[in-house]
Amino acid sequence: MTHTYPYARPALAVDCVVFGLDEDDLEVLLIRRDLEPFAGKWALPGGFVRVDESVDDAARRELSEETGLGRVFLEQLYTFGDPGRDPRERVVTVAYYALVNLSAHRVKAATDAREAAWFAVTDLPRLAFDHDAIVAMALERLRGKVRYRPLGFELLPPKFTLGMLQRLYEKVLERPLDKRNFRKKVLSMGLLEELDEVEQDVAHRAARLYRFDKKRYRELEKEGFDFEL
Amino acid sequence: MTHTYPYARPALAVDCVVFGLDEDDLEVLLIRRDLEPFAGKWALPGGFVRVDESVDDAARRELSEETGLGRVFLEQLYTFGDPGRDPRERVVTVAYYALVNLSAHRVKAATDAREAAWFAVTDLPRLAFDHDAIVAMALERLRGKVRYRPLGFELLPPKFTLGMLQRLYEKVLERPLDKRNFRKKVLSMGLLEELDEVEQDVAHRAARLYRFDKKRYRELEKEGFDFEL
């Protein structure tokens, strides 16, 4: 069945920049394209919006279909609408970014058997379409937001050490942070719950584990509290 | 000529939330719809994206065609993509917000002779489609951004008094600000150029005029300076 309209319509797609944090790096999840254009090149997971689903739902569906990722933090980033961005035809894409806790979410083989892999943001290959620009904007958004919203915690396991939290901020902001100042600032917000547990299976001295107190944050937010790190 | 595709495509539109500041209020520019659906209701200026123009260009074109506004500050806000947002058919809209200096830009009669009018944000009529939600998000974005980006100046004439600047912030943030603190903060940033001129044609004592030093801001921005008001 074909669909006919009185005026030409751009195709509408979604693309997702999925960030994860491993031991060493802030990483982005990429899919290797097997079809032209850009066959063999790495690209963001994504696809076309169906006419009966919301754009948000399309992003979640594509993420799930192409990477197996389910309930993760996902937020709209920006809509990229230059006429030349896809050599086949006019495609406007609504870009999203997702934050994934790598310890909980393994990326399974994509359903259509395409190759999926994590790349350090500091060492990305040249991407298909305008996906370089989309990743650059997602990084900028993440860098800006991580300082005044508690979304960095989405990249950590539920229980984490202060060292892990500092490393997260250092990787996202791409600069070293002073340990004493960082800890003082973090703890003074009163948003971390100190647990009666320490790290397991570590070679160095096991550090104390903490949990982000989401409920307390929501309360403070209502009172006009500004998160800032 | 009709256009045929193998899959159904949503229509793609743009809508613009145009903010202006008059003597009394922060205002939004609305257009009265003459066609169904929502005939007679007020709505945001906007229209469909042409297949050969960028989404940004579509927003500028629609703004110009429907309101006569040309070179104004315009930034993408968010893409609204719920399936039910237009009762006729599936329409995804990329929303923008614009900031207008009302002293320089008169809104002319819309080219298609529809009625255009400014409404105080505190006293908006019920809008067509999901435009209420779009305006609400634009206001939230403006409130957030005005504090850490110097975009409020786009709402003022090039030469303004400190009183005008304070009133702008009070109207956008919807709360009174302490005059002494505000002036101290504003002047301490070193971004305002004090002019050798005072207000003209005012009943009260004429106040000193200032100009926002865009060049100085760009220099400071490069050095990592954070605008904050």
Side-chain angles (χ1 to χ4, degrees), chain B residues 143-198:
Chain B
R143 272 178 201 136
K145 275 219 159 173
V146 86
R147 290 177 58 197
Y148 64 93
R149 292 282 147 121
L151 47 72
F153 299 104
E154 304 285 345
L155 291 164
L156 294 177
K159 299 173 183 180
F160 50 83
T161 66
L162 295 181
M164 289 162 76
L165 185 62
Q166 179 175 344
R167 205 169 48 80
L168 155 69
Y169 273 84
E170 290 180 333
K171 290 296 169 184
V172 171
L173 301 176
E174 288 191 340
R175 57 185 165 84
L177 299 169
D178 179 74
K179 182 170 162 177
R180 267 182 74 159
N181 280 342
F182 181 79
R183 292 186 176 216
K184 215 172 106 185
K185 225 171 164 181
V186 165
L187 293 175
S188 72
M189 282 195 296
L191 288 173
L192 294 193
E193 185 188 346
E194 185 175 338
L195 301 175
D196 221 9
E197 296 172 55
V198 294

Side-chain angles (χ1 to χ4, degrees), chain B residues 44-74:
Chain B
L44 297 171
F48 292 101
V49 176
R50 294 182 184 158
V51 82
D52 58 352
E53 70 187 346
S54 76
V55 180
D56 287 359
D57 287 348
R60 292 209 176 268
R61 178 182 52 72
E62 285 293 341
L63 200 56
S64 161
E65 284 177 11
E66 297 211 332
T67 69
L69 288 169
R71 293 165 56 89
V72 297
F73 174 95
L74 185 73

Side-chain angles (χ1 to χ4, degrees), chain B residues 201-214:
Chain B
D201 308 317
V202 286
H204 55 82
R205 199 179 128 219
R208 170 76 58 181
L209 289 171
Y210 291 80
R211 185 155 51 193
F212 174 60
D213 192 342
K214 226 175 227 179

Side-chain angles (χ1 to χ4, degrees), chain A residues 1-12 50-55 76 78-79 81-83 89-90 92 148, chain B residues 1-12 50-55 76 78-79 81-83 89-90 92 148:
Chain A
M1 203 179 94
T2 56
H3 297 265
T4 301
Y5 306 103
Y7 298 96
R9 292 188 170 186
L12 189 67
R50 294 181 184 158
V51 82
D52 58 354
E53 71 186 345
S54 76
V55 180
Q76 194 184 296
Y78 197 79
T79 295
D82 279 342
E89 62 160 346
R90 179 79 196 280
V92 171
Y148 64 95
Chain B
M1 203 177 92
T2 57
H3 297 266
T4 302
Y5 306 103
Y7 298 97
R9 292 187 170 186
L12 189 66
R50 294 182 184 158
V51 82
D52 58 352
E53 70 187 346
S54 76
V55 180
Q76 194 184 297
Y78 197 79
T79 295
D82 280 343
E89 62 160 345
R90 180 77 195 282
V92 172
Y148 64 93

Side-chain angles (χ1 to χ4, degrees), chain B residues 31-43 48 84-89 91 114 127-131:
Chain B
I31 305 277
R32 201 200 285 270
R33 291 182 57 81
D34 48 7
L35 295 176
E36 291 296 344
F38 302 106
K41 292 275 178 204
W42 293 94
F48 292 101
R85 55 176 301 283
D86 189 314
R88 291 167 295 184
E89 62 160 345
V91 182
R114 283 195 276 158
L127 303 184
F129 307 106
D130 55 356
H131 291 186

Side-chain angles (χ1 to χ4, degrees), chain A residues 189-218:
Chain A
M189 282 194 295
L191 288 173
L192 294 193
E193 184 187 349
E194 185 175 338
L195 301 175
D196 221 7
E197 295 173 56
V198 294
E199 285 178 291
Q200 300 296 319
D201 308 317
V202 286
H204 53 84
R205 202 180 125 217
R208 171 77 58 181
L209 289 171
Y210 291 80
R211 187 155 48 195
F212 174 61
D213 193 341
K214 225 174 226 178
K215 206 177 132 218
R216 178 87 187 112
Y217 173 68
R218 292 226 183 86

Side-chain angles (χ1 to χ4, degrees), chain B residues 115-135:
Chain B
E115 194 181 346
W118 291 94
F119 288 83
V121 295
T122 50
D123 194 25
L124 289 176
R126 192 74 191 280
L127 303 184
F129 307 106
D130 55 356
H131 291 186
D132 294 321
I134 298 178
V135 171

